[in-house]
Amino acid sequence: MTNSNQAVLELKGVSTIVNRHTPNQTKILKGLNLTVYPGDFITIIGSNGAGKSTLFNTISGDILPVAGQVLHNEQDISRTSVEKRTKFLSRVFQDPKMGTAPRMSVAENLLLAAKRGEKRNLQFRNLRGNKERFKKLAAGMGNGLAQRLDTPTENLSGGQRQTLSFLMATLNRPDILLLDEHTAALDPKTSAALMKQTSQTVAEQKLTCLMITHQMEDALKYGNRLVVLHDGQITLDVRDADKDQLTIQQIMNLFVD
Amino acid sequence: MSLITSSIGQGLLWAILGVALFLTFRILDFPDMTVEGTFPLGAAVTVTAITNGASPMLATLYGFLAGAAGGLITGLLYTKGKIPILLAGILVMTGSLSVNLRIMGGSNVSLIGKTTFFSANFFQTLPKYFDSIIIGGITIITITILVILFLETNLGQAFIVTGDNKKMARSQGINTDNMTILGLTLSNGLVGLCGALISQSNGYADANMGIGIIVVALASIIIGEVVFGELTLNQRLVAVALGSIIYRFVLLLVLQLGFSTNDLNLISAIILAFSMMLPNLRNALHLNDILRKGLSINDK
């Protein structure tokens, strides 16, 4: 039973404000509560402005909450910096350009990701010694990435770049994986392939994963738990059997105010 | 002949500036105006130290450290003070002008009769300008090798990725603020070192010797890129040094045409502007197509 395990991530009454101390000050998250257990694969849906991205930015540390707590393995990380949180957290962004360094090669990007959250010292990076391992990993993604290890990532297709971002995020197993609409910028075929790969990797590595998506089908098809965010709060949180019985129509009805 | 040896000697000495600016302009991807202040700062500190009896080696080291301190301040203003990088650089540059006058106790200080790297007896036995070639050559080779080795380390890679994609660097746990500060400190340290050597080569330090320096540094970077084209990162560092020599050569040619040294800043600016426009001009005017067509036997 995963439920009896201790929470890997917990948000307690988290509130956030953007543009603080300006006339545009807006409250985004409004006392949000969420408990994530090891092995949870949560799909998150919600209309624009519901606070999905803010939720991720709060978990990653890009936005600090004005009220409430963020806990990782029961440790308060509310004030921990973005860099420190990368020790246990990784993230794939919607924009394929965001997750990779354009002028550096595929292998160089992977090597940087292999040291995620580690202190960067004056030891030589040993790119050559890691090539074989990276080649195998990239080959597992099956979209020609393995043949392009020495290519600068700016010369990759959007699909390859996003596959690389995903590979980088899971290379060094994170406690929490955040997927921020990571297939939204891709064409339907590439998107489906990456989604399939995602589901496979999450299952194989038994990752704890939160995924924002606008694709209702994906939200229902993947994961063991579904969360609907509305106006800075969670309005629906279903798991396992309850989630399986959910239909697109039922979710759509939630969006109609 | 002396035109060539002089270009090479001056080019090698000034190449340090090019490599230094490469770290910020090309790797961190922003123009650092601090160099216009840290270059004369390095010179002022070194010249003052030498006139006060310090050995050239120690005085040059002080020049490096003074430059590094200037870069550190710019880095702190930019990352912690949230001042835009261009303005942060201009602030430190402007401030250091006063500091330089204080250090030198006047607007210029001469090194006549003092012991410098260039006054060694050994150099007096060599033809003219060979002192610059040897000192500049040894220094730029050492610096280039050290920079290449540094960029190959985990820390060096973290530094590169900070300039390439800050958001991604942060999401890999890299403290991008620290990397930016490190880059600015190292870069301006090298700029101070360049000022230290140039002042010893010239035999004086002048409060105004930093004016237009950023254009000189950019020119060696851009000329290196335009002339040598697609290169790896390590090769590009070598190209900067060669670009610096080519730039000096062009400058000397222009002087031979009858322009005075007063015109140098304008000429430098024109050379840089032209070099930066060249890749676009090539495309716009279809120069490559024209060349290719001119060489092909069968017209389409």
Side-chain angles (χ1 to χ4, degrees):
Chain A
M1 281 292 284
T2 48
N3 283 17
S4 59
N5 289 344
Q6 73 160 26
V8 62
L9 177 74
E10 210 173 347
L11 282 83
K12 287 185 184 169
V14 167
S15 296
T16 60
I17 292 176
V18 292
N19 300 321
R20 217 178 175 191
H21 308 304
T22 71
N24 294 326
Q25 179 165 314
T26 324
K27 209 165 179 184
I28 305 279
L29 299 184
K30 297 167 181 169
L32 182 136
N33 292 300
L34 177 68
T35 307
V36 182
Y37 297 99
D40 267 354
F41 183 174
I42 307 176
T43 55
I44 300 170
I45 52 175
S47 49
N48 288 328
K52 301 184 301 295
S53 294
T54 305
L55 171 65
F56 272 21
N57 283 331
T58 309
I59 297 172
S60 70
D62 287 291
I63 295 177
L64 297 179
V66 290
Q69 277 185 316
V70 183
L71 303 172
H72 165 248
N73 289 341
E74 297 182 347
Q75 300 265 326
D76 189 352
I77 55 161
S78 308
R79 301 277 133 191
T80 307
S81 71
V82 176
E83 294 86 16
K84 291 227 173 80
R85 292 190 202 190
T86 60
K87 282 197 186 97
F88 54 84
L89 183 143
S90 68
R91 186 173 183 182
V92 184
F93 301 97
Q94 178 182 353
D95 183 356
K97 290 193 180 82
M98 207 88 104
T100 51
R103 291 181 297 178
M104 302 175 89
S105 72
V106 172
E108 285 175 323
N109 271 278
L110 283 168
L111 192 55
L112 279 162
K115 298 191 168 72
R116 193 192 71 238
E118 283 178 30
K119 204 165 161 51
R120 312 286 164 154
N121 54 24
L122 278 173
Q123 270 172 14
F124 288 115
R125 55 178 175 159
N126 190 16
L127 187 63
R128 212 167 285 163
N130 282 290
K131 275 266 176 74
E132 271 311 304
R133 178 164 77 108
F134 291 159
K135 193 152 201 167
K136 271 192 201 128
L137 276 168
M141 307 307 270
N143 62 355
L145 200 60
Q147 283 80 52
R148 311 201 69 182
L149 278 188
D150 295 319
T151 309
T153 58
E154 64 190 350
N155 297 336
L156 299 179
S157 69
Q160 284 175 326
R161 233 172 138 164
Q162 201 62 334
T163 306
L164 175 62
S165 300
F166 180 74
L167 196 55
M168 287 165 66
T170 52
L171 183 59
N172 197 348
R173 190 183 183 278
D175 281 1
I176 304 155
L177 173 65
L178 302 180
L179 304 173
D180 192 349
E181 287 187 63
H182 71 308
T183 64
L186 309 176
D187 64 68
K189 199 178 155 214
T190 317
S191 166
L194 180 57
M195 207 43 246
K196 200 175 151 212
Q197 186 67 50
T198 303
S199 157
Q200 197 182 323
T201 308
V202 169
E204 274 170 12
Q205 297 194 29
K206 297 190 175 62
L207 294 171
T208 308
C209 174
L210 282 76
M211 178 174 86
I212 295 174
T213 180
H214 276 303
Q215 301 295 324
M216 297 297 164
E217 296 85 358
D218 286 350
L220 288 174
K221 186 174 169 192
Y222 298 103
N224 66 326
R225 195 171 157 192
L226 184 144
V227 162
V228 177
L229 216 59
H230 181 72
D231 196 23
Q233 282 177 327
I234 290 172
T235 51
L236 182 74
D237 184 351
V238 290
R239 59 187 307 134
D240 303 326
D242 294 336
K243 174 175 180 289
D244 294 341
Q245 286 163 15
L246 218 55
T247 64
I248 291 186
Q249 195 50 49
Q250 282 174 314
I251 300 177
M252 292 306 276
N253 290 340
L254 284 172
F255 282 89
V256 184
D257 276 317
Chain B
M1 185 61 198
S2 75
L3 195 67
I4 295 172
T5 47
S6 162
S7 302
I8 295 176
Q10 287 294 303
L12 288 171
L13 283 175
W14 285 97
I16 302 164
L17 192 68
V19 170
L21 205 74
F22 189 90
L23 294 177
T24 51
F25 184 68
R26 278 303 183 221
I27 295 186
L28 285 180
D29 206 20
F30 56 64
D32 173 28
M33 293 300 294
T34 320
V35 299
E36 300 236 339
T38 44
F39 181 80
L41 178 66
V45 167
T46 302
V47 169
T48 310
I50 288 176
T51 51
N52 282 299
S55 72
M57 187 61 101
L58 208 54
T60 306
L61 178 68
Y62 292 155
F64 173 85
L65 293 176
L72 177 66
I73 294 171
T74 303
L76 290 172
L77 289 177
Y78 172 48
T79 58
K80 308 298 176 196
K82 308 286 178 207
I83 296 174
I85 183 62
L86 209 53
L87 188 56
I90 290 172
L91 288 177
V92 175
M93 172 190 93
T94 308
S96 68
L97 293 178
S98 295
V99 175
N100 296 345
L101 290 172
R102 281 274 180 191
I103 292 172
M104 293 195 292
S107 63
N108 60 63
V109 173
S110 166
L111 282 173
I112 290 172
K114 303 287 178 191
T115 310
T116 71
F117 276 139
F118 296 82
S119 68
N121 285 331
F122 164 69
F123 290 130
Q124 314 310 325
T125 63
L126 293 173
K128 214 177 165 199
Y129 303 125
F130 270 67
D131 50 356
S132 304
I133 294 179
I134 291 171
I135 293 173
I138 291 173
T139 315
I140 192 64
I141 288 170
T142 312
I143 288 172
T144 307
I145 290 174
L146 287 177
V147 169
I148 287 174
L149 289 177
F150 167 68
L151 294 178
E152 276 290 317
T153 64
N154 293 324
L155 186 65
Q157 289 290 303
F159 168 64
I160 294 176
V161 77
T162 296
D164 214 16
N165 185 344
K166 206 177 250 185
K167 181 128 189 159
M168 176 270 199
R170 269 162 68 83
S171 71
Q172 296 301 338
I174 292 162
N175 188 324
T176 52
D177 279 0
N178 286 354
M179 291 303 126
T180 305
I181 294 171
L182 172 77
L184 280 165
T185 307
L186 198 63
S187 166
N188 281 288
L190 292 176
V191 172
L193 172 71
C194 185
L197 291 180
I198 294 289
S199 64
Q200 291 178 63
S201 163
N202 290 350
Y204 66 89
D206 186 290
N208 295 324
M209 68 195 288
I211 296 172
I213 283 299
I214 194 163
V215 175
V216 174
L218 290 177
S220 32
I221 295 174
I222 306 283
I223 290 175
E225 287 170 356
V226 170
V227 172
F228 299 101
E230 286 278 312
L231 297 172
T232 66
L233 188 57
N234 293 347
Q235 290 167 336
R236 286 175 71 186
L237 282 166
V238 179
V240 172
L242 297 175
S244 169
I245 294 172
I246 295 171
Y247 169 75
R248 283 292 141 191
F249 194 67
V250 174
L251 271 194
L252 281 181
L253 279 182
V254 171
L255 286 179
Q256 295 283 311
L257 291 176
F259 288 94
S260 95
T261 47
N262 291 339
D263 303 324
L264 278 185
N265 279 329
L266 176 63
I267 293 163
S268 296
I270 292 173
I271 292 175
L272 177 60
F274 183 71
S275 308
M276 294 194 85
M277 287 188 295
L278 196 60
N280 282 331
L281 284 177
R282 242 185 233 164
N283 289 333
L285 302 176
H286 306 294
L287 288 181
N288 289 346
D289 285 353
I290 292 167
L291 278 176
R292 205 169 35 241
K293 273 194 190 135
L295 293 172
S296 71
I297 301 162
N298 301 315
D299 280 347
K300 272 189 183 168

